[in-house]
Amino acid sequence: MFRSFSVFNYRVWFIGALVSNVGAWMQATALSWVVLTELTDNDAAAMGVTMALQFAPPLLLVSVTGWVADRFERRRLLMLTQSLLLLLGAAIGVLLLLGLMTLPLMYAFALALGVVAAFDNPARQAFVSDLVSRENASNAVALNAASFNGARMIGPAVAGIVIVAIGTGWVFLVNAVTFLAMIVALGLIRTDQLVPRAAAPGAARLADGFRYVAGRPDLVVAFVMVFLLGAFGMNFPIFASTMALEFGQEADGYGLLSSILAIGSLAGALMAARRDRARIRMVILGTGLFAIAATVSAFMPTYWLYAATLMVTGFAVVTMLTTANGYVQTTTDPALRGRVLALYMAILMGGTPLGAPIVGWVAAEFGPRIAILVGAAAALVAFAVGFGWLLVSGRLHRNESRRFALTIEETRPIAVVAPEEFSDEVAATTPIRLPDPVRPGDVVERRRISSDTAADRRHARSR
């Protein structure tokens, strides 16, 4: 489960990311609560607009951000983006403490955070593959998700307590300080131990990432599922905050819901880390489980029963997203990984500008329970897309040896020669494995079996 920790660079990265993620979840909780209770009068639609402004830039800038992640040194790029996020968090905190923050100004900061995150996310996702070898990439991605969701258990709960005790402005200042952990970790990474990556082509091949995904039906299906879940099903700040208000809770009750959601999310991430590789079947199963869990949570009559269902919801969504991320990373051409991951993040986060305002409006007009059911319906459609593709593609079929069992065929990742090992000598001397030749006796036997089968069918028809 923790095999990636044997790499020094990954250990340093993990610690820095864990501290930074705690601050990020504190800020996300405070930002939603400020918009909902301080800058508006419980206006869920305004919170949906805030989320849309944060997540629109990854979608609009996807071609540029992916190319930047492939073209430039990711470690230095991350140091720049993390420094900018630090400054933005500090600025929001100061304005809140001075009483100068307004809703339009918060919208502007949300957009600025989204622009910086648009460059930070694909570089951060692809940088994991620079830290560990290819065979450990899926494990490293899953442990990253564990860090993210472990921080989710701590950050929202701490943010809720800080908001109630001393105010929301201090939450943003604490988050600004936590970014220093990531910046220090990036400085401590041993660059000579980074995994060499394939050289990225120039700007003339900027659209190669789109063409590559278009030629991979499995990736197209995974991206469609991720989009539907990201747009309508993963609006947890809207769901949790409005449900907390419906149950008569304050900011600490809202923060506790986010932490309880993270318990299931952390369990899903650790389970993903135990698997030897990411499989698309788990993406489909996780989506189906999310649809069921979200539907059940919408009908819970009490705060604690609703909180209990959130653990299953968190487990399902992280199982789906972690497996999808690992599948994309381990089956994509290394030279195009940054662009493909940028497209993946744009679809995941870029769906929010479309879905969050709709879900926020539904929550404001019809109540949070109906909004949750909208997310569950989107997840059910995503599951139908994935399961339908399994049937159409021929991967799901009856087992040949067991009468009522089903078998799912899968495409295994193609082994790629590491860039530092490639040379003319390697290309000329590396053997290419060919299928075993078919012996004449095999053909005769196959023909004989076919003849016997045809004779049996004629006999059955005559009967």
Side-chain angles (χ1 to χ4, degrees), residues 416-450:
V416 178
V417 178
E420 73 276 9
E421 298 177 2
F422 185 82
S423 65
D424 291 338
E425 291 76 15
V426 172
T429 59
T430 300
I432 300 176
R433 184 173 180 177
L434 298 176
D436 294 333
V438 179
R439 298 186 299 273
D442 295 337
V443 177
V444 172
E445 181 67 18
R446 192 177 296 114
R447 289 175 178 171
R448 187 183 66 80
I449 294 173
S450 300

Side-chain angles (χ1 to χ4, degrees), residues 83-97:
S83 299
L84 291 174
L85 291 172
L86 183 157
L87 294 175
L88 288 172
I92 296 173
V94 170
L95 290 174
L96 284 171
L97 290 176

Side-chain angles (χ1 to χ4, degrees), residues 37-114:
T37 63
E38 295 183 19
L39 301 180
T40 68
D41 185 17
N42 298 338
D43 189 353
M47 192 164 66
V49 173
T50 306
M51 293 178 62
L53 290 171
Q54 290 182 79
F55 297 122
L59 178 62
L60 299 176
L61 302 174
V62 57
S63 59
V64 177
T65 57
W67 176 76
V68 169
D70 277 335
R71 186 69 174 172
F72 297 99
E73 184 183 346
R74 292 168 186 154
R75 187 178 68 91
R76 293 184 179 180
L77 178 61
L78 288 172
M79 294 184 77
L80 174 61
T81 57
Q82 293 290 302
S83 299
L84 291 174
L85 291 172
L86 183 157
L87 294 175
L88 288 172
I92 296 173
V94 170
L95 290 174
L96 284 171
L97 290 176
L98 295 177
L100 301 176
M101 182 60 72
T102 63
L103 184 60
L105 194 56
M106 183 61 84
Y107 284 163
F109 273 107
L111 181 61
L113 289 169

Side-chain angles (χ1 to χ4, degrees), residues 217-227 280 283 320 324 327-328:
D218 54 336
L219 290 185
V220 172
V221 169
F223 283 18
V224 170
M225 296 173 66
V226 165
F227 171 79
I280 198 167
V283 178
M320 186 269 193
Y327 185 82
V328 172

Side-chain angles (χ1 to χ4, degrees), residues 324-349:
N325 190 312
Y327 185 82
V328 172
Q329 291 222 34
T330 55
T331 64
T332 298
D333 185 342
L336 297 171
R337 185 175 289 132
R339 274 160 285 186
V340 174
L341 283 171
L343 183 58
Y344 170 83
M345 296 303 299
I347 288 173
L348 172 62
M349 302 175 66

Side-chain angles (χ1 to χ4, degrees), residues 201-217 219-220 336 339-340 343:
R205 299 180 60 183
L206 195 61
D208 277 3
F210 294 91
R211 288 193 291 267
Y212 180 82
V213 173
R216 291 274 306 275
L219 290 185
V220 172
L336 297 171
R339 274 160 285 186
V340 174
L343 183 58

